[in-house]
Amino acid sequence: MSNANTMRVITQNALGGPEVLELKEVERPLPRPNEVLVRVRAAGLNPTDWKHRAGGGLLGAPPFVLGWDVSGTVEAVGIGVVTFAPGDEVFGMLPYPYGHGSHAEYVIAPVRALWHKPADVGHVEAGALPLVSLTAWQALVETAGLQAGQRVLIHAAAGGVGHVAVQIAKERGAYVIGTASAGKHGFLRELGADEVIDYRETDFTEAVKDVDVVLDTLGGDTSVDSLRVLRPGGIVVSILPVGSREFYDEAERLGVRAVRMLVDADRAGMRAIAGLIEAGKLRATIAGTFPLADAAEAHRLGDTGRTTGKLVLTVD
Amino acid sequence: MSNANTMRVITQNALGGPEVLELKEVERPLPRPNEVLVRVRAAGLNPTDWKHRAGGGLLGAPPFVLGWDVSGTVEAVGIGVVTFAPGDEVFGMLPYPYGHGSHAEYVIAPVRALWHKPADVGHVEAGALPLVSLTAWQALVETAGLQAGQRVLIHAAAGGVGHVAVQIAKERGAYVIGTASAGKHGFLRELGADEVIDYRETDFTEAVKDVDVVLDTLGGDTSVDSLRVLRPGGIVVSILPVGSREFYDEAERLGVRAVRMLVDADRAGMRAIAGLIEAGKLRATIAGTFPLADAAEAHRLGDTGRTTGKLVLTVD
């Protein structure tokens, strides 16, 4: 479909439902200094994609190309790049905000956003892991400083970020409590969760206490309620970008910490994640793959919020 | 001079000599997600500043604000920033290309470009170190993989990058050979250089051999000539962004490695550099400081190429 100077991308000229997504042929970009051009083989989808498609978010007004996750092959390198060479297999998360993302045949990435794809996972799994893994890593390890023996509560533990966070927390030696609907408890046990809570049947603030770290993937009332299950000095890390005053005021009153975090592209984090994958400590559950041209269909499925595991776009 | 919504910057509307630099009052920017607004206390000057002022380089056409080095205080943080809070003292190198740089009262920086300023150095020294230290770190450690006991040749070892590279190479346990004019040999010995060569009197290709790593800060003929002093399998890392075919062809013929590297903003590198500073293993030699408004004067001095150590702009 595309020639040597062009590429196909999924783009949109209006905010809205999956129907605003269009396949277009555009000029293929050139890497600037310390950037590489990646031939995309797989690009994970995340809730941030549905949210930006519908609301613009950090990207503002369209046109833009969504997609922060990428796994693929280095096609060309910009001036000064020594970390990668054409032909190298790489994976990573593009920085926020972006707007010329990975839902395309090719994408420009800063070298500091990438690391070498572990040889023992394919592009689909490698393309599903970066954003969720960096989120969990930065929340649990870098922000909360999770230690062996600590108690961690992970909300929506069977979700994209959640199922990766369970694995990272277990690898650090924590005692892991996860919330999920009953049908997903077996999945969580397999990932290593020590305790599972059916949030439909049970109020977690009554079922859990003395927690050191809460990873809040839900926001709203859950953020504030989560403060009440902490030990003194404990921390809630919320990965949703908007906060309310009450979250911080209540934390101060209770003598605990309340933090809102936004995942950031980072080479050191990708390197740590590659290490976990290579050690067999981290894997992605894939809900489904879709060819790039069928991105709208993947978005429709994502919008339902009912998939278990990650949706991934693939490019041949 | 500036009010709560504005800031003074050094900018230019034309390419040229130091006289194109002007002090202007502009709107103070707001940090986006994963960015911070830094109140600049000190901003190092580098050859990249004179080159971009005169030639545009990676920045293209003016207007732009130069300055990649910064040390200062976090004034405000964008959405999702957890690494830093207002009031924190930070230092770092802004990413290439930039164009709204640190030669200003305030600058926006991605959080991944910054690290905590070591408490035991002032802003002037902290503002002088990032770009040269990251360059030396990324060239010697990350690119060349310098090991204890290896022989390293550093060209212009008394220069901005050179004098930092000597310290980093010594800290890694390497045997350090530096080139400099005779008047700077005492300075290099104090920094720990094991051997010094007066490049005006001596052809380094005759005086040096069996080198594992060359850090080439000069380019041109020096890049190609440096290949000839390497052991088989050795490496020349050139930090100049433009290469010639001969550099690579000759390396292939000789069975050695030739790499051109451009320094990249990086949190992990800044963290390593902060560790060296805190351990007393790395310091900057300061040639002079100038108030922000006198940036043109600092550029005139920089253009001469005759200073020993770093020039730094300061903001009260």
Side-chain angles (χ1 to χ4, degrees):
Chain A
M1 290 267 276
S2 52
N3 67 43
N5 300 313
T6 66
M7 63 177 185
R8 294 177 305 151
V9 303
I10 296 294
T11 187
Q12 61 187 94
N13 275 303
L15 301 176
E19 70 282 358
V20 301
L21 298 174
E22 311 171 61
L23 187 70
K24 270 203 178 166
E25 192 158 343
V26 302
E27 201 180 335
R28 191 182 299 180
L30 292 170
R32 298 179 303 172
N34 285 327
E35 291 180 344
V36 300
L37 179 69
V38 178
R39 184 180 164 239
V40 180
R41 298 294 308 278
L45 290 158
N46 293 286
T48 191
D49 291 302
W50 344 127
K51 288 179 193 164
H52 281 90
R53 183 204 71 220
L58 301 173
L59 301 181
F64 46 67
V65 175
L66 296 170
W68 282 270
D69 271 335
V70 64
S71 182
T73 308
V74 173
E75 179 82 9
V77 303
I79 288 171
V81 172
V82 297
T83 325
F84 303 112
D88 284 359
E89 298 200 307
V90 293
F91 75 139
M93 180 202 141
L94 302 168
Y96 275 120
Y98 213 67
H100 38 281
S102 62
H103 295 172
E105 288 184 304
Y106 294 87
V107 70
I108 294 287
V111 289
R112 62 171 172 70
L114 302 175
W115 193 248
H116 301 278
K117 182 183 82 63
D120 45 355
V121 292
H123 284 293
V124 167
E125 193 167 357
L129 280 167
L131 185 144
V132 292
S133 304
L134 276 178
T135 302
W137 179 263
Q138 291 171 6
L140 295 177
V141 180
E142 295 188 355
T143 303
L146 185 65
Q147 303 291 325
Q150 287 191 323
R151 288 163 60 83
V152 58
L153 171 63
I154 297 169
H155 288 294
V161 171
H163 86 294
V164 168
V166 169
Q167 298 172 71
I168 289 176
K170 283 310 296 177
E171 198 275 331
R172 312 271 319 164
Y175 181 87
V176 176
I177 308 158
T179 72
S181 57
K184 295 177 179 172
H185 287 192
F187 172 61
L188 287 187
R189 294 281 190 191
E190 274 173 41
L191 291 178
D194 297 290
E195 208 173 301
V196 287
I197 294 172
D198 182 350
Y199 62 86
R200 289 176 181 155
E201 299 292 325
T202 311
D203 177 350
F204 75 91
T205 62
E206 289 174 8
V208 186
K209 60 180 180 179
D210 292 333
V211 168
D212 297 283
V213 177
V214 179
L215 175 55
D216 168 29
T217 61
L218 297 172
D221 289 346
T222 302
S223 307
V224 180
D225 290 345
S226 293
L227 298 167
R228 306 186 210 287
V229 307
L230 290 177
R231 283 192 176 145
I235 182 170
V236 173
V237 183
S238 179
I239 60 168
L240 302 177
V242 278
S244 77
R245 200 60 252 165
E246 190 191 357
F247 182 49
Y248 303 104
D249 291 346
E250 185 67 4
E252 196 169 335
R253 201 182 67 75
L254 293 169
V256 297
R257 290 196 292 153
V259 171
R260 300 254 178 201
M261 190 205 86
L262 179 66
V263 58
D264 198 8
D266 183 47
R267 172 164 43 190
M270 285 309 302
R271 186 179 187 165
I273 287 156
L276 291 173
I277 295 168
E278 284 160 359
K281 300 289 177 61
L282 183 62
R283 61 197 171 87
T285 298
I286 307 298
T289 63
F290 294 81
L292 180 66
D294 296 341
E297 201 178 324
H299 272 247
R300 267 178 216 110
L301 199 53
D303 274 350
T304 67
R306 300 187 70 89
T307 51
T308 296
K310 301 275 303 167
L311 298 167
V312 181
L313 299 180
T314 58
V315 183
D316 288 330
Chain B
M1 290 268 275
S2 53
N3 67 42
N5 299 314
T6 65
M7 63 176 185
R8 294 178 304 151
V9 302
I10 297 294
T11 187
Q12 61 188 93
N13 274 302
L15 302 176
E19 70 282 358
V20 300
L21 299 174
E22 312 170 60
L23 187 69
K24 269 203 179 166
E25 192 157 343
V26 301
E27 202 179 335
R28 191 182 300 180
L30 293 170
R32 298 180 304 173
N34 284 328
E35 291 179 344
V36 300
L37 178 68
V38 177
R39 183 179 165 243
V40 180
R41 297 295 307 279
L45 290 158
N46 293 287
T48 191
D49 291 303
W50 344 127
K51 288 178 193 165
H52 281 90
R53 183 204 71 219
L58 301 173
L59 301 180
F64 45 67
V65 175
L66 297 170
W68 281 270
D69 272 335
V70 64
S71 182
T73 309
V74 173
E75 180 83 9
V77 302
I79 288 170
V81 172
V82 298
T83 325
F84 303 111
D88 284 358
E89 298 199 309
V90 293
F91 75 140
M93 181 203 138
L94 302 168
Y96 275 118
Y98 212 66
H100 39 282
S102 62
H103 296 171
E105 287 184 305
Y106 294 86
V107 69
I108 295 287
V111 291
R112 64 173 169 70
L114 301 174
W115 193 249
H116 300 279
K117 181 183 81 62
D120 46 355
V121 292
H123 283 294
V124 167
E125 193 167 359
L129 280 167
L131 184 144
V132 291
S133 305
L134 277 179
T135 302
W137 179 263
Q138 290 172 5
L140 294 178
V141 180
E142 296 189 354
T143 304
L146 185 65
Q147 304 291 325
Q150 286 191 322
R151 289 163 60 83
V152 57
L153 170 64
I154 298 169
H155 287 294
V161 170
H163 85 293
V164 168
V166 169
Q167 298 172 70
I168 290 175
K170 283 310 296 178
E171 199 275 329
R172 313 274 314 166
Y175 180 87
V176 177
I177 308 158
T179 71
S181 56
K184 295 176 179 173
H185 287 192
F187 171 62
L188 287 187
R189 294 282 189 192
E190 274 173 40
L191 291 177
D194 297 290
E195 207 172 303
V196 287
I197 294 173
D198 182 350
Y199 63 87
R200 288 177 182 155
E201 300 292 324
T202 311
D203 177 351
F204 76 91
T205 61
E206 289 174 10
V208 187
K209 59 180 181 179
D210 291 333
V211 168
D212 298 284
V213 177
V214 179
L215 176 55
D216 168 29
T217 61
L218 297 172
D221 289 345
T222 303
S223 307
V224 180
D225 290 345
S226 294
L227 298 167
R228 307 188 209 286
V229 306
L230 290 176
R231 283 192 176 145
I235 182 170
V236 173
V237 184
S238 178
I239 60 167
L240 302 177
V242 278
S244 76
R245 202 58 252 166
E246 190 191 358
F247 181 48
Y248 303 104
D249 290 346
E250 184 66 4
E252 198 169 333
R253 201 182 65 77
L254 293 168
V256 297
R257 289 197 293 153
V259 171
R260 301 253 177 199
M261 189 203 86
L262 179 67
V263 59
D264 198 8
D266 183 47
R267 171 164 45 190
M270 286 309 301
R271 186 178 187 165
I273 287 156
L276 290 175
I277 295 169
E278 284 160 358
K281 299 287 176 63
L282 183 62
R283 60 195 171 89
T285 298
I286 306 298
T289 64
F290 295 80
L292 180 65
D294 296 339
E297 201 178 324
H299 272 246
R300 268 178 217 110
L301 199 52
D303 274 350
T304 67
R306 300 187 70 89
T307 51
T308 296
K310 300 275 303 167
L311 298 167
V312 181
L313 299 180
T314 59
V315 183
D316 289 330

